[in-house]
Amino acid sequence: MGWGTLITRRLKVFSLALFVYFDYKAVQKRVQWVSAVKKNAIWAKTHERNARRVLNLMIELEGLWVKMGQYLSTRADVLPEPYIEVLKQLQDSLPPRPLEEVCGTIEKELGKPMRQLFATFDVDPLATASIAQVHRATLEDGREVVVKVQHDGIKEIILEDLKNAKSLIEWIAWAEPQYDFNPMIDEWCKEAPKELDFNHEAENTRTVSKNLSRKTEGGSGSVSSDVDVLIPEIIQSTEKILILEYMDGIRLHDNDSLEEYGVDKKRLVEEITRAYAHQIYIDGFFNGDPHPGNFLVSKEPPHKPILLDFGLTKRISQSMKQALAKMFLSCAEGDQVALLSAFAEMGLKLRVDMPQQSMEIASIFFRQSTTATEAKENIKALNEQRERNAKALQEKMKLNKKEVKHFNPVDAFPGDAIIFMRVLNLLRGLSASLNVRIVYLDIMRPFAESTLLGSMTRGPSTNSEWIYDSPVNSEVESKLRSLLLEMGSDKILGLQVCAYKDGKVIIDTAAGTLGKYDPRPVQPDSLFPVFSVTKGITAGMVHWLVDQGKLKYEETVADIWPKFGTNKKELIKVQKLISLMLCNETQCFRIITDSFVTS
């Protein structure tokens, strides 16, 4: 590819980006002066014409832009409907490459003429995608296969497109700081080139197939038995050629065929989600590109999903796998402390401590999927949540509107988590495009629990290390620790006990772990989110004693509890105790206790 072609591609990308950007800005000004009905119609037309502009350029440029369009076409949960309908065309086959080019690549890679390699070779491709096209064929031994052939010169195009995409994302982040996708494109730039080596894809396919067929025991029992998918066998591979077992299946966008064969689309998406939960939480090795074009559905009941294309596959460390599981489960439990702990373990650094907003944002990725018909309401809810979070950030950081727009609360974002979030978004888009609703928390939870609980080392009840190693202050503390060991971690999750006598500490013991999904040990200075109910109980009991005639609001407290009358408090009346924010809880209970005794 010459420099002239590369420059032309870049100019076309940025020209369209500017054109679309200013079109939206102009419409944004225009709709301020029209009715709500006209406003909706104007926005719908704007989305449709810009979606068609984007589609036409993506088809013309092919390469990475087609992959990006395929990704966007699955995001019915966040993108306007016209974009989904228009970009869906990219899920179908693109214009095929010439047969001469295809045969030339095959013969060059495999070192033999076509007649010696295949008994039959279909001239018309089964599908043409951004990087390669696939032909059906029969080997000399009679096996039916598909032959995946990389487009000639696609490597140079993809690498150039990545540079252009990076520049475009940087410009968007500058123009609209709230839409900063730099971490995502950085990770994509690192991972996408791996798709250009089909040897790499072949090895990935074998690994995932082996992992999903292996039975794994975890903290909540066997979870791999829930995974019921098909993966084609690898026959042969080179850098630009991949030969796989042929599997006859239905494409996910072929809704008529899915209906004809009686495919349960909800069960289908659930099976795919289970397969990805297993890959992420159990194996730590997962396909990062689950768009509809990478799946088929077997025509034979029970219509299992067929997983294809493992070029973009991510391997994560054991610690990252556990951190992702912890993040998921902390969202499920609403545990803000565990969530922030998971962020730290992932390497995600925040510039501001906002646990509630962090929980809301993280929970977005695991929320129940929405159908395509609910997409507009979903977009509205997400925008409202974004506005609430921005307002909370503005108040906490004492920023003005312009400053908060340019403030990025994330200081560092781990690259490993980018592909993970991309997978979750694509799975959500998959359920939206098939118009089904699934509950990710229910499906993924057993897998996340399996990896996290299997890694936790709370220790048996006979292990003295289960109790935090600190000096024993008294004989009663020694007895307490013996009792804790006897009860063990089966009955106690975590605790702190501190007691004073005559101004001296006689008990200061901590034991167990910080949470069900947080294996860190409890220490004497560990903080827990707690609230007091004592004041409310005390107020209720005081009112009850008055109703029973055992107290009177106009009585002075010193008449009931003489020692209370010291330090000029002899005139304070019982009614003052109702203002419990100013009342010492211990004194209140002492009053009540004495009242019962004297009555």
Side-chain angles (χ1 to χ4, degrees):
M1 180 184 294
W3 281 107
T5 305
L6 296 178
I7 292 173
T8 300
R9 290 177 69 86
R10 174 165 288 201
L11 287 174
K12 287 182 177 180
V13 169
F14 280 91
S15 297
L16 179 65
L18 285 170
F19 197 89
V20 170
Y21 177 75
F22 286 118
D23 187 12
Y24 274 107
K25 283 297 181 182
V27 172
Q28 201 173 47
K29 296 289 184 181
R30 177 185 167 194
V31 296
Q32 292 179 356
W33 315 106
V34 299
S35 66
V37 176
K38 288 185 177 179
K39 182 184 296 185
N40 292 334
I42 291 171
W43 276 120
K45 289 181 180 179
T46 304
H47 293 322
E48 184 173 356
R49 68 170 174 266
N50 284 310
R52 295 199 175 280
R53 288 166 179 163
V54 171
L55 173 69
N56 292 336
L57 185 63
M58 285 177 169
I59 292 176
E60 178 186 347
L61 297 183
E62 296 186 351
L64 182 78
W65 301 108
V66 171
K67 293 188 72 66
M68 186 174 290
Q70 290 172 337
Y71 169 67
L72 294 174
S73 71
T74 66
R75 299 309 311 279
D77 56 323
V78 293
L79 276 182
E81 186 178 351
Y83 276 90
I84 303 304
E85 291 302 315
V86 171
L87 294 181
K88 267 185 180 179
Q89 298 176 48
L90 294 171
Q91 301 295 350
D92 297 321
S93 289
L94 298 172
R97 293 296 179 97
L99 183 62
E100 294 77 12
E101 176 190 316
V102 173
C103 293
T105 301
I106 293 173
E107 291 178 344
K108 182 179 178 181
E109 287 290 303
L110 300 181
K112 293 181 181 180
M114 293 289 290
R115 64 179 181 275
Q116 294 181 17
L117 293 169
F118 307 104
T120 63
F121 188 88
D122 287 3
V123 174
D124 296 324
L126 293 172
T128 302
S130 56
I131 292 177
Q133 69 186 43
V134 178
H135 290 259
R136 187 175 178 180
T138 306
L139 298 179
E140 290 295 326
D141 60 9
R143 283 182 294 175
E144 292 192 62
V145 297
V146 293
V147 185
K148 185 175 181 179
V149 186
Q150 191 173 122
H151 299 322
D152 189 33
I154 195 65
K155 184 174 183 178
E156 292 77 10
I157 292 175
I158 291 290
L159 296 178
E160 178 63 20
D161 288 346
L162 284 171
K163 294 178 184 177
N164 293 341
K166 172 65 176 171
S167 299
L168 181 61
I169 293 298
E170 288 177 344
W171 174 75
I172 292 174
W174 173 80
E176 303 288 337
Q178 67 271 35
Y179 301 110
D180 185 359
F181 302 113
N182 272 299
M184 180 176 292
I185 194 64
D186 288 342
E187 185 65 16
W188 206 358
C189 287
K190 185 174 72 174
E191 296 294 333
K194 296 177 183 178
E195 293 188 82
L196 301 171
D197 185 350
F198 288 172
N199 284 318
H200 181 75
E201 180 178 341
E203 187 58 34
N204 291 342
T205 305
R206 294 188 186 100
T207 301
V208 173
S209 180
K210 181 181 178 182
N211 289 342
L212 293 184
S213 63
R214 185 178 67 240
K215 192 171 185 179
T216 306
E217 295 293 331
S220 57
S222 175
V223 293
S224 60
S225 60
D226 291 336
V227 178
D228 194 11
V229 298
L230 300 173
I231 299 177
E233 178 189 354
I234 300 296
I235 308 299
Q236 187 179 359
S237 69
T238 70
E239 183 181 357
K240 297 182 180 180
I241 300 294
L242 184 62
I243 303 177
L244 311 98
E245 169 192 7
Y246 172 75
M247 287 187 171
D248 190 18
I250 310 165
R251 294 200 170 273
L252 294 193
H253 66 263
D254 188 355
N255 191 64
D256 291 339
S257 295
L258 293 175
E259 294 289 342
E260 180 184 345
Y261 280 88
V263 175
D264 184 340
K265 290 185 284 188
K266 183 174 183 291
R267 178 183 174 278
L268 175 68
V269 177
E270 288 176 344
E271 291 293 345
I272 292 173
T273 304
R274 288 188 185 95
Y276 274 85
H278 193 289
Q279 291 175 64
I280 293 168
Y281 297 118
I282 304 298
D283 309 320
F285 186 74
F286 57 94
N287 180 6
D289 197 21
H291 67 77
N294 285 343
F295 298 99
L296 295 174
V297 185
S298 63
K299 293 182 178 180
E300 298 296 326
H303 305 300
K304 299 179 182 181
I306 303 171
L307 276 55
L308 307 171
D309 194 349
F310 293 86
L312 180 59
T313 308
K314 183 70 177 176
R315 184 181 297 279
I316 55 177
S317 65
Q318 179 70 14
S319 59
M320 175 58 75
K321 184 175 70 172
Q322 292 170 5
L324 292 176
K326 185 174 177 179
M327 179 178 74
F328 173 84
L329 293 167
S330 62
C331 289
E333 295 289 323
D335 189 338
Q336 297 176 359
V337 175
L339 177 65
L340 296 180
S341 171
F343 284 171
E345 292 169 19
M346 290 165 56
L348 194 159
K349 299 179 181 177
L350 302 175
R351 290 192 175 97
V352 57
D353 183 17
M354 299 178 67
Q356 181 178 344
Q357 284 69 31
S358 298
M359 177 63 72
E360 290 176 355
I361 293 170
S363 298
I364 287 174
F365 295 103
F366 308 111
R367 69 192 187 281
Q368 177 175 298
S369 67
T370 54
T371 61
T373 55
E374 299 169 336
K376 290 183 180 179
E377 287 300 317
N378 190 56
I379 294 172
K380 181 180 177 182
L382 291 177
N383 287 334
E384 289 174 352
Q385 186 176 58
R386 186 184 295 114
E387 290 174 3
R388 289 196 303 270
N389 290 342
K391 185 176 180 180
L393 178 64
Q394 182 179 351
E395 292 175 354
K396 186 174 183 67
M397 300 299 295
K398 295 180 172 55
L399 303 172
N400 58 42
K401 290 185 177 180
K402 185 176 180 180
E403 289 172 333
V404 77
K405 186 178 179 181
H406 289 81
F407 181 82
N408 186 352
V410 179
D411 184 45
F413 205 104
D416 287 348
I418 294 292
I419 301 296
F420 168 76
M421 291 190 297
R422 182 172 185 267
V423 166
L424 293 180
N425 282 331
L426 282 167
L427 290 174
R428 290 188 56 76
L430 190 65
S431 59
S433 63
L434 289 174
N435 209 33
V436 297
R437 182 186 291 105
I438 64 172
V439 182
Y440 291 99
L441 289 176
D442 292 346
I443 297 172
M444 290 186 162
R445 186 169 193 143
F447 298 91
E449 286 181 341
S450 178
T451 188
L452 189 59
L453 295 180
S455 70
M456 291 172 62
T457 54
R458 295 178 181 170
S461 59
T462 55
N463 183 359
S464 61
E465 294 180 0
W466 181 69
I467 295 178
Y468 185 77
D469 186 16
S470 60
V472 178
N473 295 285
S474 65
E475 183 180 350
V476 68
E477 183 169 22
S478 179
K479 291 181 179 180
L480 171 64
R481 295 190 180 191
S482 297
L483 176 62
L484 294 177
L485 287 173
E486 183 180 335
M487 296 176 69
S489 57
D490 291 338
K491 295 182 179 179
I492 298 175
L493 178 62
L495 58 79
Q496 293 167 321
V497 181
C498 185
Y500 285 78
K501 182 179 181 181
D502 299 329
K504 294 179 63 177
V505 176
I506 59 171
I507 298 176
D508 190 8
T509 292
T513 58
L514 288 177
K516 184 178 180 181
Y517 304 114
D518 190 345
R520 292 176 298 165
V522 176
Q523 301 181 24
D525 59 351
S526 296
L527 299 179
F528 291 89
V530 297
F531 62 95
S532 172
V533 297
T534 309
K535 295 182 179 68
I537 293 173
T538 302
M541 294 182 72
V542 169
H543 285 300
W544 180 80
L545 288 169
V546 171
D547 288 342
Q548 294 294 312
K550 298 176 181 179
L551 281 179
K552 294 181 180 179
Y553 290 127
E554 60 273 12
E555 283 186 272
T556 59
V557 177
D559 290 340
I560 305 167
W561 181 18
K563 290 184 178 180
F564 183 84
T566 60
N567 298 322
K568 301 181 179 179
K569 294 184 292 183
E570 64 275 1
L571 298 179
I572 294 178
K573 297 184 178 182
V574 170
Q575 63 188 6
K576 292 290 184 179
L577 294 181
I578 304 303
S579 179
L580 290 171
M581 293 302 295
L582 302 178
C583 176
N584 181 286
E585 295 165 9
T586 304
Q587 292 174 347
C588 289
F589 274 117
R590 180 71 175 274
I591 294 169
I592 293 168
T593 303
D594 289 349
S595 297
F596 275 115
V597 171
T598 56
S599 62

